[in-house]
Amino acid sequence: VQLVESGGGSVQSGTSLQLSCKGSGFDFGDTYLSWVRQSPGKKPEWVSTITEIGVTGYSNSALGRFTISRENSENVAYLHMTRLTPEDTAVYFCAIPRFRTHSALSPWHDFQTKGQGTQVTVST
C-alpha cells in the first residue's frame, strides 16, 4: 500500500492550491481516502474524507473553502484549497481511514496508512 502526495508549495494568503494523492497497492476504487494536516508544534488534524462513491465530509476549518475529490480511473484523490490563510500552513497527508465513515476522525489512531506528506506554506 502506498500513498504519494504532491502539489504543495509556498503561496500567498488568499490564493488557491490543489494537492494530489496517488494511491497504489490496494483497491483504490473501494477505499475511503482522507486528508490530514499537521502544523508545526500542533497535533495532526483531520481535514476531509471522501467515500468510494464520492460522499464527502469536512472539518469546520475546511468546510466552504476546501474540496476533496477523486478520480478512481487514475487512482488519484485531490484536495482543492481556496482562500488560504497562514493558519493553513502545515504538512498535508493523504491517509486511509480504518473506518468507513466520512465523519470526523482522530489522527493517527483512526488511520491505517498515510503518505509522506506535502508541505503547504501560506504567507501574508
Side-chain angles (χ1 to χ4, degrees):
V1 175
Q2 188 174 24
L3 299 168
V4 179
E5 303 92 336
S6 61
S10 297
V11 297
Q12 295 280 333
S13 183
T15 60
S16 302
L17 197 63
Q18 178 160 290
L19 308 181
S20 300
C21 170
K22 177 75 171 178
S24 61
F26 62 97
D27 186 353
F28 188 92
D30 193 40
T31 301
Y32 284 37
L33 291 164
S34 299
W35 288 94
V36 175
R37 69 184 183 184
Q38 186 163 20
S39 302
K42 295 185 178 180
K43 294 181 179 180
E45 173 192 15
W46 171 77
V47 175
S48 181
T49 295
I50 187 167
T51 73
E52 81 281 23
I53 60 170
V55 178
T56 59
Y58 298 93
S59 66
N60 288 337
S61 61
L63 188 64
R65 296 190 303 130
F66 295 2
T67 302
I68 190 171
S69 61
R70 65 192 297 160
E71 182 54 66
N72 288 340
S73 65
E74 297 182 1
N75 285 14
V76 178
Y78 303 97
L79 185 69
H80 184 67
M81 306 183 291
T82 66
R83 291 182 280 135
L84 287 163
T85 73
E87 287 67 40
D88 295 314
T89 294
V91 177
Y92 284 72
F93 299 90
C94 180
I96 298 176
R98 296 185 186 275
F99 314 110
R100 294 175 73 86
T101 176
H102 59 280
S103 298
L105 294 165
S106 179
W108 290 105
H109 176 268
D110 291 346
F111 294 89
Q112 55 178 293
T113 304
K114 65 180 178 71
Q116 84 289 347
T118 185
Q119 175 70 48
V120 173
T121 302
V122 185
S123 58
T124 56

